[in-house]
Amino acid sequence: GAVVSQHPSWVICKSGTSVKIECRSLDFQATTMFWYRQFPKQSLMLMATSNEGSKATYEQGVEKDKFLINHASLTLSTLTVTSAHPEDSSFYICSAPTPLAGIYEQYFGPGTRLTVT
Amino acid sequence: GENVEQHPSTLSVQEGDSAVIKCTYSDSASNYFPWYKQELGKGPQLIIDIRSNVGEKKDQRIAVTLNKTAKHFSLHITETQPEDSAVYFCAASRGNFNKFYFGSGTKLNVKP
């Protein structure tokens, strides 16, 4: 089946630095990818829709200048957390719909645990 | 926008018993309803899904039912096993590569 990978699986950074998280579709092309954030014991909250070849679409309340998204190719989307602060510590998950499964299903990556100290 | 509510937040059952998790949605245009299982520190894994043109779907011990009129859908797990213990999320979507709206999650604990 379709596989979505994320790198790194976990990262620790100091407050004020930037961190880049990669999301890759391994055996299919994804013109659209989604980025979610999940705090402990909470649900997945959609942050933004990443579109290959165009600007990302951000959900209400998500700072586009803080969470930079670049859909560099049909298999790669990156999320950069700029000037990270402890409150940005969270589990970040990406997903990608795949034509392999029709127009409905999405495959999720394994997630990236970000800890800002 | 869509609003998905999920109940209960926690559910404890004895091994071998059945478990039922319920979700409601608000957007009548939603037509795809997946269920995901998430283990600690991992991404969600699709366990079953249903589209709005069917009322029920079953896959071995797992089944999902959909009532479009009432805008609710449910996950049924029969003969539960300890390895079923995890957090389960429902979601709703308009399909066509549209975004998912997730419920708040249910932590299922299956006691051996």
Side-chain angles (χ1 to χ4, degrees), chain B residues 19-84:
Chain B
V20 179
I21 303 171
K22 299 182 178 181
C23 287
T24 60
Y25 62 99
S26 61
D27 185 0
S28 57
S30 290
N31 57 11
Y32 177 63
F33 308 92
W35 286 89
Y36 287 86
K37 176 182 180 181
Q38 187 179 31
E39 297 177 339
L40 193 61
K42 297 183 179 180
Q45 295 291 319
L46 178 70
I47 57 172
I48 197 167
D49 57 9
I50 192 167
R51 300 178 189 179
S52 60
N53 58 347
V54 298
E56 183 174 357
K57 183 177 178 181
K58 189 173 182 180
D59 183 4
Q60 298 184 339
R61 297 186 296 109
I62 297 174
V64 57
T65 58
L66 171 66
N67 183 326
K68 285 192 300 182
T69 303
K71 295 195 185 71
H72 67 70
F73 56 111
S74 300
L75 176 71
H76 303 254
I77 305 175
T78 59
E79 301 172 23
T80 54
Q81 302 166 3
E83 50 266 38
D84 294 329

Side-chain angles (χ1 to χ4, degrees), chain B residues 79-99:
Chain B
E79 301 172 23
T80 54
Q81 302 166 3
E83 50 266 38
D84 294 329
S85 295
V87 178
Y88 291 80
F89 291 97
C90 64
S93 168
R94 291 187 176 188
N96 198 23
F97 303 118
N98 266 299
K99 51 193 171 185

Side-chain angles (χ1 to χ4, degrees), chain A residues 34 36 38 42-44 46 59 91 93 97 99 101-106 108-110, chain B residues 31-32 36 38 41-44 46 49 51 89 95-100 102-104:
Chain A
F34 299 97
Y36 296 85
Q38 185 178 34
Q42 294 190 23
S43 187
L44 287 79
L46 180 67
E59 295 298 301
F91 195 50
I93 307 171
I103 61 174
Y104 296 90
E105 191 171 330
Q106 293 186 19
F108 283 79
Chain B
N31 57 11
Y32 177 63
Y36 287 86
Q38 187 179 31
K42 297 183 179 180
L46 178 70
D49 57 9
R51 300 178 189 179
F89 291 97
N96 198 23
F97 303 118
N98 266 299
K99 51 193 171 185
F100 284 7
F102 282 87
S104 52

